[in-house]
Short mmCIF file of all heavy atoms in Angstrom, two decimals:
data_model
loop_
_atom_site.label_atom_id
_atom_site.label_comp_id
_atom_site.label_asym_id
_atom_site.label_seq_id
_atom_site.Cartn_x
_atom_site.Cartn_y
_atom_site.Cartn_z
N MET A 2 -88.52 37.34 0.90
CA MET A 2 -88.37 38.13 2.11
C MET A 2 -88.31 39.60 1.71
O MET A 2 -87.33 40.05 1.15
CB MET A 2 -87.09 37.72 2.84
CG MET A 2 -86.69 38.66 3.91
SD MET A 2 -85.15 38.36 4.76
CE MET A 2 -84.18 37.39 3.70
N PHE A 3 -89.35 40.34 1.96
CA PHE A 3 -89.35 41.76 1.68
C PHE A 3 -89.94 42.48 2.88
O PHE A 3 -91.14 42.47 3.10
CB PHE A 3 -90.14 42.08 0.41
CG PHE A 3 -89.47 41.54 -0.82
CD1 PHE A 3 -89.89 40.37 -1.40
CD2 PHE A 3 -88.39 42.21 -1.36
CE1 PHE A 3 -89.26 39.87 -2.52
CE2 PHE A 3 -87.75 41.73 -2.49
CZ PHE A 3 -88.19 40.55 -3.06
N SER A 4 -89.09 43.06 3.68
CA SER A 4 -89.52 43.72 4.89
C SER A 4 -88.60 44.89 5.19
O SER A 4 -87.39 44.75 5.10
CB SER A 4 -89.50 42.75 6.07
OG SER A 4 -89.74 43.44 7.26
N THR A 5 -89.16 46.04 5.51
CA THR A 5 -88.34 47.17 5.89
C THR A 5 -88.03 47.14 7.39
O THR A 5 -87.24 47.94 7.87
CB THR A 5 -89.01 48.50 5.52
OG1 THR A 5 -90.27 48.56 6.15
CG2 THR A 5 -89.16 48.63 4.03
N ASN A 6 -88.66 46.23 8.12
CA ASN A 6 -88.38 46.07 9.55
C ASN A 6 -87.26 45.07 9.75
O ASN A 6 -87.17 44.08 9.03
CB ASN A 6 -89.64 45.57 10.30
CG ASN A 6 -90.77 46.56 10.21
OD1 ASN A 6 -90.56 47.76 10.25
ND2 ASN A 6 -91.97 46.05 10.06
N TRP A 7 -86.40 45.33 10.72
CA TRP A 7 -85.33 44.38 11.03
C TRP A 7 -85.93 43.12 11.62
O TRP A 7 -86.80 43.17 12.48
CB TRP A 7 -84.34 45.01 12.02
CG TRP A 7 -83.53 46.11 11.43
CD1 TRP A 7 -83.68 47.44 11.62
CD2 TRP A 7 -82.42 45.96 10.54
NE1 TRP A 7 -82.75 48.13 10.89
CE2 TRP A 7 -81.95 47.25 10.23
CE3 TRP A 7 -81.77 44.86 9.97
CZ2 TRP A 7 -80.87 47.47 9.38
CZ3 TRP A 7 -80.69 45.09 9.12
CH2 TRP A 7 -80.26 46.37 8.84
N GLN A 8 -85.46 41.98 11.15
CA GLN A 8 -85.88 40.68 11.69
C GLN A 8 -84.70 40.05 12.39
O GLN A 8 -83.60 39.96 11.83
CB GLN A 8 -86.37 39.77 10.56
CG GLN A 8 -87.60 40.28 9.89
CD GLN A 8 -88.04 39.37 8.76
OE1 GLN A 8 -87.27 38.66 8.16
NE2 GLN A 8 -89.33 39.40 8.47
N LYS A 9 -84.94 39.60 13.61
CA LYS A 9 -83.89 39.00 14.42
C LYS A 9 -83.75 37.51 14.09
O LYS A 9 -84.73 36.83 13.84
CB LYS A 9 -84.26 39.17 15.90
CG LYS A 9 -83.19 38.75 16.87
CD LYS A 9 -83.41 39.37 18.23
CE LYS A 9 -84.11 38.49 19.19
NZ LYS A 9 -84.07 38.98 20.56
N SER A 10 -82.53 37.05 14.11
CA SER A 10 -82.26 35.63 13.86
C SER A 10 -82.95 34.76 14.89
O SER A 10 -82.96 35.08 16.08
CB SER A 10 -80.75 35.38 13.91
OG SER A 10 -80.49 34.00 13.94
N SER A 11 -83.52 33.66 14.45
CA SER A 11 -84.17 32.74 15.38
C SER A 11 -83.16 32.05 16.28
O SER A 11 -83.51 31.51 17.32
CB SER A 11 -84.98 31.70 14.60
OG SER A 11 -84.13 30.96 13.75
N TYR A 12 -81.89 32.04 15.92
CA TYR A 12 -80.85 31.41 16.73
C TYR A 12 -80.44 32.27 17.92
O TYR A 12 -79.75 31.81 18.81
CB TYR A 12 -79.61 31.11 15.89
CG TYR A 12 -79.81 29.96 14.94
CD1 TYR A 12 -80.10 30.18 13.60
CD2 TYR A 12 -79.73 28.65 15.39
CE1 TYR A 12 -80.30 29.13 12.74
CE2 TYR A 12 -79.94 27.59 14.53
CZ TYR A 12 -80.22 27.84 13.20
OH TYR A 12 -80.42 26.80 12.35
N SER A 13 -80.85 33.51 17.96
CA SER A 13 -80.43 34.39 19.05
C SER A 13 -81.26 34.22 20.30
O SER A 13 -80.91 34.74 21.34
CB SER A 13 -80.46 35.84 18.59
OG SER A 13 -81.78 36.22 18.30
N ALA A 14 -82.38 33.55 20.19
CA ALA A 14 -83.28 33.30 21.33
C ALA A 14 -83.67 34.62 21.98
O ALA A 14 -84.09 35.54 21.29
CB ALA A 14 -82.66 32.33 22.31
N ALA A 15 -83.48 34.74 23.28
CA ALA A 15 -83.91 35.94 23.99
C ALA A 15 -82.79 36.96 24.19
O ALA A 15 -82.99 38.00 24.78
CB ALA A 15 -84.48 35.55 25.35
N THR A 16 -81.61 36.67 23.69
CA THR A 16 -80.49 37.60 23.88
C THR A 16 -80.56 38.75 22.88
O THR A 16 -81.26 38.68 21.88
CB THR A 16 -79.13 36.89 23.70
OG1 THR A 16 -78.99 36.53 22.32
CG2 THR A 16 -79.02 35.67 24.58
N ASN A 17 -79.84 39.79 23.17
CA ASN A 17 -79.79 40.93 22.26
C ASN A 17 -78.58 40.85 21.33
O ASN A 17 -78.35 41.76 20.55
CB ASN A 17 -79.75 42.24 23.04
CG ASN A 17 -81.10 42.54 23.64
OD1 ASN A 17 -82.12 42.15 23.09
ND2 ASN A 17 -81.11 43.23 24.76
N GLU A 18 -77.77 39.82 21.44
CA GLU A 18 -76.60 39.65 20.59
C GLU A 18 -76.99 38.75 19.42
O GLU A 18 -76.97 37.54 19.53
CB GLU A 18 -75.45 39.04 21.39
CG GLU A 18 -75.02 39.91 22.54
CD GLU A 18 -73.99 39.24 23.41
OE1 GLU A 18 -73.55 38.12 23.09
OE2 GLU A 18 -73.62 39.84 24.42
N CYS A 19 -77.37 39.39 18.32
CA CYS A 19 -77.88 38.60 17.22
C CYS A 19 -77.63 39.30 15.89
O CYS A 19 -77.25 40.46 15.84
CB CYS A 19 -79.36 38.34 17.39
SG CYS A 19 -80.35 39.84 17.42
N VAL A 20 -77.88 38.58 14.84
CA VAL A 20 -77.84 39.12 13.49
C VAL A 20 -79.27 39.49 13.12
O VAL A 20 -80.20 38.74 13.36
CB VAL A 20 -77.28 38.09 12.49
CG1 VAL A 20 -77.39 38.60 11.07
CG2 VAL A 20 -75.84 37.75 12.84
N GLU A 21 -79.42 40.67 12.52
CA GLU A 21 -80.72 41.12 12.05
C GLU A 21 -80.65 41.33 10.55
O GLU A 21 -79.60 41.69 10.01
CB GLU A 21 -81.13 42.42 12.74
CG GLU A 21 -81.28 42.26 14.24
CD GLU A 21 -81.54 43.56 14.95
OE1 GLU A 21 -80.90 44.57 14.61
OE2 GLU A 21 -82.40 43.56 15.85
N VAL A 22 -81.75 41.12 9.86
CA VAL A 22 -81.79 41.24 8.41
C VAL A 22 -83.07 41.95 8.00
O VAL A 22 -84.09 41.85 8.68
CB VAL A 22 -81.66 39.86 7.74
CG1 VAL A 22 -82.83 38.97 8.06
CG2 VAL A 22 -81.45 39.98 6.24
N ARG A 23 -83.00 42.66 6.88
CA ARG A 23 -84.19 43.28 6.29
C ARG A 23 -83.91 43.53 4.81
O ARG A 23 -82.77 43.45 4.36
CB ARG A 23 -84.57 44.59 6.98
CG ARG A 23 -83.61 45.73 6.70
CD ARG A 23 -84.06 46.99 7.37
NE ARG A 23 -83.13 48.09 7.09
CZ ARG A 23 -83.26 49.30 7.57
NH1 ARG A 23 -84.26 49.59 8.37
NH2 ARG A 23 -82.39 50.24 7.27
N THR A 24 -84.95 43.83 4.06
CA THR A 24 -84.78 44.24 2.67
C THR A 24 -85.33 45.65 2.50
O THR A 24 -86.37 45.99 3.06
CB THR A 24 -85.50 43.29 1.69
OG1 THR A 24 -86.87 43.22 2.04
CG2 THR A 24 -84.88 41.91 1.73
N VAL A 25 -84.59 46.43 1.77
CA VAL A 25 -84.98 47.80 1.47
C VAL A 25 -84.63 48.07 0.01
O VAL A 25 -83.47 47.89 -0.38
CB VAL A 25 -84.26 48.82 2.38
CG1 VAL A 25 -84.62 50.24 2.00
CG2 VAL A 25 -84.57 48.56 3.84
N ASP A 26 -85.61 48.46 -0.78
CA ASP A 26 -85.37 48.77 -2.19
C ASP A 26 -84.64 47.65 -2.91
O ASP A 26 -83.65 47.88 -3.62
CB ASP A 26 -84.59 50.08 -2.33
CG ASP A 26 -85.36 51.28 -1.78
OD1 ASP A 26 -86.61 51.27 -1.87
OD2 ASP A 26 -84.73 52.21 -1.26
N ALA A 27 -85.07 46.42 -2.70
CA ALA A 27 -84.51 45.22 -3.35
C ALA A 27 -83.06 44.95 -2.97
O ALA A 27 -82.33 44.29 -3.69
CB ALA A 27 -84.66 45.31 -4.87
N VAL A 28 -82.63 45.46 -1.83
CA VAL A 28 -81.29 45.20 -1.30
C VAL A 28 -81.45 44.54 0.06
O VAL A 28 -82.27 44.96 0.88
CB VAL A 28 -80.49 46.51 -1.16
CG1 VAL A 28 -79.16 46.28 -0.47
CG2 VAL A 28 -80.28 47.15 -2.52
N VAL A 29 -80.68 43.49 0.33
CA VAL A 29 -80.69 42.83 1.63
C VAL A 29 -79.67 43.53 2.52
O VAL A 29 -78.54 43.76 2.11
CB VAL A 29 -80.35 41.33 1.49
CG1 VAL A 29 -80.30 40.67 2.86
CG2 VAL A 29 -81.35 40.63 0.60
N GLU A 30 -80.10 43.87 3.73
CA GLU A 30 -79.21 44.52 4.69
C GLU A 30 -79.09 43.63 5.92
O GLU A 30 -80.07 43.07 6.39
CB GLU A 30 -79.75 45.88 5.11
CG GLU A 30 -79.81 46.86 3.97
CD GLU A 30 -80.26 48.25 4.40
OE1 GLU A 30 -80.96 48.38 5.43
OE2 GLU A 30 -79.90 49.19 3.70
N LEU A 31 -77.86 43.53 6.44
CA LEU A 31 -77.58 42.75 7.65
C LEU A 31 -76.84 43.63 8.64
O LEU A 31 -76.05 44.49 8.24
CB LEU A 31 -76.67 41.55 7.32
CG LEU A 31 -77.24 40.54 6.37
CD1 LEU A 31 -76.38 40.47 5.14
CD2 LEU A 31 -77.30 39.23 7.07
N ARG A 32 -77.09 43.39 9.93
CA ARG A 32 -76.36 44.09 10.97
C ARG A 32 -76.34 43.24 12.23
O ARG A 32 -77.15 42.33 12.40
CB ARG A 32 -76.99 45.45 11.28
CG ARG A 32 -78.33 45.34 11.99
CD ARG A 32 -78.90 46.69 12.31
NE ARG A 32 -80.15 46.55 13.05
CZ ARG A 32 -80.89 47.55 13.45
NH1 ARG A 32 -80.53 48.79 13.17
NH2 ARG A 32 -82.00 47.34 14.13
N GLU A 33 -75.41 43.54 13.10
CA GLU A 33 -75.40 42.94 14.44
C GLU A 33 -76.21 43.86 15.34
O GLU A 33 -76.08 45.09 15.25
CB GLU A 33 -73.98 42.83 14.97
CG GLU A 33 -73.17 41.75 14.31
CD GLU A 33 -71.87 41.52 15.04
OE1 GLU A 33 -71.90 41.29 16.27
OE2 GLU A 33 -70.84 41.57 14.37
N SER A 34 -77.00 43.29 16.21
CA SER A 34 -77.86 44.12 17.05
C SER A 34 -77.06 45.04 17.96
O SER A 34 -77.50 46.14 18.26
CB SER A 34 -78.80 43.25 17.88
OG SER A 34 -78.05 42.38 18.70
N ASP A 35 -75.87 44.61 18.37
CA ASP A 35 -75.07 45.45 19.28
C ASP A 35 -74.19 46.44 18.52
O ASP A 35 -73.54 47.27 19.14
CB ASP A 35 -74.24 44.60 20.23
CG ASP A 35 -73.27 43.67 19.52
OD1 ASP A 35 -73.40 43.50 18.30
OD2 ASP A 35 -72.38 43.13 20.18
N SER A 36 -74.16 46.37 17.19
CA SER A 36 -73.42 47.33 16.36
C SER A 36 -74.33 47.79 15.22
O SER A 36 -74.01 47.62 14.05
CB SER A 36 -72.16 46.68 15.78
OG SER A 36 -71.27 46.29 16.79
N GLY A 37 -75.43 48.37 15.58
CA GLY A 37 -76.45 48.72 14.60
C GLY A 37 -76.04 49.75 13.57
O GLY A 37 -76.69 49.89 12.54
N ASP A 38 -74.95 50.46 13.83
CA ASP A 38 -74.52 51.47 12.87
C ASP A 38 -73.69 50.87 11.72
O ASP A 38 -73.43 51.55 10.73
CB ASP A 38 -73.72 52.57 13.56
CG ASP A 38 -72.52 52.05 14.32
OD1 ASP A 38 -72.56 50.90 14.78
OD2 ASP A 38 -71.53 52.80 14.46
N VAL A 39 -73.30 49.61 11.83
CA VAL A 39 -72.56 48.93 10.77
C VAL A 39 -73.55 48.03 10.02
O VAL A 39 -74.07 47.07 10.58
CB VAL A 39 -71.40 48.09 11.34
CG1 VAL A 39 -70.69 47.34 10.22
CG2 VAL A 39 -70.43 48.97 12.11
N ILE A 40 -73.80 48.36 8.77
CA ILE A 40 -74.77 47.61 7.96
C ILE A 40 -74.08 47.08 6.72
O ILE A 40 -73.42 47.83 6.01
CB ILE A 40 -75.96 48.50 7.58
CG1 ILE A 40 -76.71 48.97 8.85
CG2 ILE A 40 -76.91 47.77 6.65
CD1 ILE A 40 -77.79 49.98 8.59
N VAL A 41 -74.26 45.79 6.46
CA VAL A 41 -73.74 45.16 5.26
C VAL A 41 -74.88 45.06 4.27
O VAL A 41 -75.97 44.59 4.62
CB VAL A 41 -73.17 43.75 5.58
CG1 VAL A 41 -72.72 43.05 4.31
CG2 VAL A 41 -72.04 43.85 6.59
N ARG A 42 -74.65 45.48 3.03
CA ARG A 42 -75.67 45.44 2.00
C ARG A 42 -75.25 44.50 0.88
O ARG A 42 -74.09 44.48 0.49
CB ARG A 42 -75.91 46.84 1.44
CG ARG A 42 -76.55 47.76 2.44
CD ARG A 42 -76.69 49.18 1.90
NE ARG A 42 -77.36 50.03 2.88
CZ ARG A 42 -76.73 50.72 3.83
NH1 ARG A 42 -75.43 50.66 3.92
NH2 ARG A 42 -77.41 51.45 4.67
N THR A 43 -76.23 43.74 0.36
CA THR A 43 -75.95 42.82 -0.73
C THR A 43 -77.22 42.58 -1.54
O THR A 43 -78.29 43.04 -1.16
CB THR A 43 -75.36 41.50 -0.20
OG1 THR A 43 -74.88 40.71 -1.29
CG2 THR A 43 -76.38 40.71 0.60
N THR A 44 -77.09 41.84 -2.62
CA THR A 44 -78.25 41.51 -3.43
C THR A 44 -78.94 40.27 -2.86
O THR A 44 -78.31 39.46 -2.16
CB THR A 44 -77.84 41.21 -4.88
OG1 THR A 44 -77.05 40.02 -4.90
CG2 THR A 44 -77.08 42.38 -5.48
N PRO A 45 -80.22 40.08 -3.16
CA PRO A 45 -80.91 38.86 -2.71
C PRO A 45 -80.23 37.59 -3.20
O PRO A 45 -80.12 36.61 -2.46
CB PRO A 45 -82.32 39.01 -3.28
CG PRO A 45 -82.53 40.48 -3.36
CD PRO A 45 -81.17 41.03 -3.77
N ALA A 46 -79.74 37.58 -4.43
CA ALA A 46 -79.08 36.38 -4.97
C ALA A 46 -77.79 36.06 -4.23
O ALA A 46 -77.52 34.90 -3.89
CB ALA A 46 -78.79 36.56 -6.46
N LYS A 47 -76.99 37.07 -3.94
CA LYS A 47 -75.74 36.85 -3.20
C LYS A 47 -76.02 36.43 -1.76
O LYS A 47 -75.31 35.61 -1.20
CB LYS A 47 -74.85 38.08 -3.24
CG LYS A 47 -74.25 38.32 -4.61
CD LYS A 47 -73.36 39.52 -4.62
CE LYS A 47 -72.77 39.74 -6.01
NZ LYS A 47 -71.90 40.92 -6.04
N PHE A 48 -77.07 37.00 -1.16
CA PHE A 48 -77.43 36.61 0.20
C PHE A 48 -77.89 35.16 0.24
O PHE A 48 -77.51 34.41 1.14
CB PHE A 48 -78.52 37.54 0.74
CG PHE A 48 -78.91 37.27 2.16
CD1 PHE A 48 -77.98 37.36 3.18
CD2 PHE A 48 -80.20 36.90 2.50
CE1 PHE A 48 -78.33 37.11 4.50
CE2 PHE A 48 -80.56 36.64 3.80
CZ PHE A 48 -79.62 36.75 4.81
N ALA A 49 -78.68 34.75 -0.75
CA ALA A 49 -79.13 33.36 -0.82
C ALA A 49 -77.95 32.41 -0.97
O ALA A 49 -77.89 31.36 -0.33
CB ALA A 49 -80.11 33.17 -1.97
N ALA A 50 -76.98 32.78 -1.80
CA ALA A 50 -75.77 31.96 -1.98
C ALA A 50 -74.98 31.89 -0.68
O ALA A 50 -74.46 30.83 -0.30
CB ALA A 50 -74.91 32.52 -3.10
N PHE A 51 -74.90 33.00 0.04
CA PHE A 51 -74.21 33.03 1.33
C PHE A 51 -74.89 32.09 2.33
O PHE A 51 -74.22 31.32 3.02
CB PHE A 51 -74.19 34.46 1.86
CG PHE A 51 -73.58 34.61 3.22
CD1 PHE A 51 -72.24 34.37 3.44
CD2 PHE A 51 -74.36 34.99 4.30
CE1 PHE A 51 -71.69 34.52 4.70
CE2 PHE A 51 -73.82 35.14 5.56
CZ PHE A 51 -72.47 34.90 5.77
N LEU A 52 -76.22 32.12 2.38
CA LEU A 52 -76.95 31.24 3.29
C LEU A 52 -76.73 29.77 2.94
O LEU A 52 -76.55 28.93 3.83
CB LEU A 52 -78.44 31.57 3.29
CG LEU A 52 -78.84 32.89 3.92
CD1 LEU A 52 -80.34 33.10 3.78
CD2 LEU A 52 -78.41 32.95 5.37
N ARG A 53 -76.74 29.45 1.65
CA ARG A 53 -76.47 28.06 1.23
C ARG A 53 -75.08 27.63 1.68
O ARG A 53 -74.89 26.50 2.14
CB ARG A 53 -76.61 27.92 -0.28
CG ARG A 53 -78.03 27.86 -0.77
CD ARG A 53 -78.12 27.44 -2.24
NE ARG A 53 -77.38 28.33 -3.13
CZ ARG A 53 -77.87 29.45 -3.67
NH1 ARG A 53 -79.10 29.82 -3.38
NH2 ARG A 53 -77.13 30.18 -4.48
N THR A 54 -74.11 28.51 1.55
CA THR A 54 -72.74 28.22 1.96
C THR A 54 -72.66 27.99 3.47
O THR A 54 -71.99 27.06 3.93
CB THR A 54 -71.80 29.37 1.54
OG1 THR A 54 -71.90 29.54 0.14
CG2 THR A 54 -70.36 29.10 1.92
N LEU A 55 -73.35 28.82 4.23
CA LEU A 55 -73.37 28.63 5.69
C LEU A 55 -73.98 27.29 6.06
O LEU A 55 -73.43 26.55 6.89
CB LEU A 55 -74.19 29.74 6.36
CG LEU A 55 -73.55 31.10 6.49
CD1 LEU A 55 -74.56 32.09 7.04
CD2 LEU A 55 -72.32 31.05 7.36
N LYS A 56 -75.13 26.99 5.47
CA LYS A 56 -75.83 25.74 5.78
C LYS A 56 -75.01 24.52 5.38
O LYS A 56 -75.13 23.47 6.00
CB LYS A 56 -77.19 25.71 5.10
CG LYS A 56 -78.16 26.70 5.71
CD LYS A 56 -79.49 26.69 4.98
CE LYS A 56 -80.44 27.71 5.58
NZ LYS A 56 -81.73 27.72 4.89
N ALA A 57 -74.17 24.66 4.37
CA ALA A 57 -73.33 23.55 3.91
C ALA A 57 -72.10 23.37 4.80
O ALA A 57 -71.35 22.41 4.63
CB ALA A 57 -72.89 23.78 2.47
N GLY A 58 -71.89 24.29 5.76
CA GLY A 58 -70.78 24.15 6.69
C GLY A 58 -69.46 24.69 6.19
O GLY A 58 -68.41 24.43 6.78
N GLU A 59 -69.49 25.49 5.13
CA GLU A 59 -68.26 26.01 4.54
C GLU A 59 -67.42 26.84 5.50
O GLU A 59 -66.20 26.92 5.37
CB GLU A 59 -68.58 26.84 3.31
CG GLU A 59 -69.25 26.07 2.20
CD GLU A 59 -68.27 25.36 1.29
OE1 GLU A 59 -67.12 25.77 1.22
OE2 GLU A 59 -68.70 24.38 0.66
N PHE A 60 -68.06 27.50 6.48
CA PHE A 60 -67.34 28.37 7.40
C PHE A 60 -67.19 27.78 8.80
O PHE A 60 -66.75 28.47 9.72
CB PHE A 60 -68.06 29.73 7.51
CG PHE A 60 -68.17 30.45 6.19
CD1 PHE A 60 -69.40 30.65 5.61
CD2 PHE A 60 -67.04 30.91 5.55
CE1 PHE A 60 -69.51 31.33 4.40
CE2 PHE A 60 -67.13 31.58 4.33
CZ PHE A 60 -68.37 31.78 3.76
N ASP A 61 -67.52 26.52 8.97
CA ASP A 61 -67.47 25.89 10.30
C ASP A 61 -66.08 25.96 10.93
O ASP A 61 -65.95 26.13 12.14
CB ASP A 61 -67.95 24.44 10.25
CG ASP A 61 -69.44 24.33 10.03
OD1 ASP A 61 -70.14 25.37 10.04
OD2 ASP A 61 -69.92 23.21 9.86
N GLN A 62 -65.04 25.85 10.15
CA GLN A 62 -63.69 25.85 10.71
C GLN A 62 -63.31 27.22 11.27
O GLN A 62 -62.40 27.32 12.08
CB GLN A 62 -62.66 25.43 9.65
CG GLN A 62 -62.33 26.47 8.60
CD GLN A 62 -63.34 26.60 7.49
OE1 GLN A 62 -64.35 25.92 7.44
NE2 GLN A 62 -63.07 27.49 6.55
N LEU A 63 -64.01 28.27 10.91
CA LEU A 63 -63.72 29.61 11.41
C LEU A 63 -64.23 29.83 12.83
O LEU A 63 -63.81 30.76 13.49
CB LEU A 63 -64.32 30.65 10.47
CG LEU A 63 -63.80 30.65 9.04
CD1 LEU A 63 -64.53 31.69 8.22
CD2 LEU A 63 -62.31 30.88 9.00
N SER A 64 -65.14 29.00 13.29
CA SER A 64 -65.73 29.20 14.62
C SER A 64 -64.95 28.50 15.72
O SER A 64 -65.33 28.57 16.87
CB SER A 64 -67.18 28.73 14.62
OG SER A 64 -67.23 27.34 14.41
N THR A 65 -63.89 27.82 15.39
CA THR A 65 -63.12 27.13 16.42
C THR A 65 -61.92 27.92 16.86
O THR A 65 -61.49 28.85 16.30
CB THR A 65 -62.63 25.78 15.91
OG1 THR A 65 -61.84 25.96 14.75
CG2 THR A 65 -63.80 24.86 15.63
#
C-alpha cells in the first residue's frame, strides 16, 4: 500500500465517520475523517501487526 491520497475504510460505507489511511515517505498515516487534524503515524510493519491484532479480535472487549 503506497498512496499519498487518503483511502477511506470500506467499513464506513457512505458515512463520513470513518478511518482513513495513506502512506507518505514510507510512513503509514491514519486519521478519523471528522478529526482530520489529528494524524497517527507508524511504520508499515507496526501497522500490519496492528491490523493482525484487530482481525484476531484482541480489542473486541473495548467496544462494549
